[in-house]
Amino acid sequence: IRANPNAEIMWYFLGTREQFRIRGELQIIAWDEKDEKKSLWREDQWNNISSGMKQSYEWPSPGVNRNSNANDQTDFLDPTPSERPSPNFALLLMTPKIVDVVKLREKPQMRHVHKLTREGHWNAQRVNP
């Protein structure tokens, strides 16, 4: 992400049959963040996750083969997660640049692409679905 911050997030709402594709740039707020305000954002998010989720940030690396003598009790069941964010926990912030919205329920389907201008205003354009 630091080498290439470009990313896209997609949401689909089943009930309304709307799809949102949000393109922009990601920023990592990790344990070594120098900006105090951003560090507080990271800490706030840490405080909003469950105890079980906090524990998972201290587990062994995901996808790595388990040794036959590995102990699941000690590796995965830490009863007291830290109140301070784990060094393994990072907050990702996205600055959106383009929002592509498709309303699939409409006949014909409606699609609009919203682009952020250099002046900070959003322009919307209807496009073919």
Side-chain angles (χ1 to χ4, degrees):
I1 293 171
R2 287 188 172 122
N4 180 4
N6 296 310
E8 182 172 283
I9 300 170
M10 195 279 285
W11 272 284
Y12 175 70
F13 295 94
L14 186 59
T16 60
R17 298 196 59 218
E18 292 175 294
Q19 177 180 290
F20 293 81
R21 291 180 182 264
I22 304 167
R23 283 179 258 164
E25 292 183 359
L26 291 177
Q27 179 183 8
I28 300 174
I29 300 177
W31 64 272
D32 58 349
E33 179 60 50
K34 305 289 187 244
D35 184 319
E36 188 175 331
K37 184 177 179 181
K38 291 178 183 176
S39 289
L40 287 173
W41 293 345
R42 178 175 168 265
E43 193 167 324
D44 285 346
Q45 291 306 309
W46 178 258
N47 291 330
N48 286 325
I49 63 176
S50 70
S51 177
M53 181 60 74
K54 288 176 183 176
Q55 291 173 4
S56 73
Y57 283 91
E58 301 304 326
W59 290 354
S61 297
V64 174
N65 292 337
R66 299 279 291 157
N67 292 328
S68 59
N69 61 350
N71 184 329
D72 288 348
Q73 295 300 311
T74 58
D75 286 349
F76 298 110
L77 299 177
D78 178 3
T80 54
S82 171
E83 291 305 312
R84 302 286 301 159
S86 166
N88 298 323
F89 176 77
L91 177 64
L92 295 179
L93 297 180
M94 177 179 263
T95 302
K97 306 286 185 186
I98 299 172
V99 179
D100 187 342
V101 182
V102 183
K103 295 183 179 186
L104 299 166
R105 181 170 278 162
E106 305 284 332
K107 299 290 182 209
Q109 297 172 352
M110 296 289 285
R111 181 176 176 195
H112 289 86
V113 176
H114 305 260
K115 294 182 180 180
L116 186 64
T117 67
R118 292 180 187 202
E119 296 78 28
H121 303 286
W122 287 95
N123 289 333
Q125 175 66 52
R126 185 172 174 197
V127 298
N128 291 328

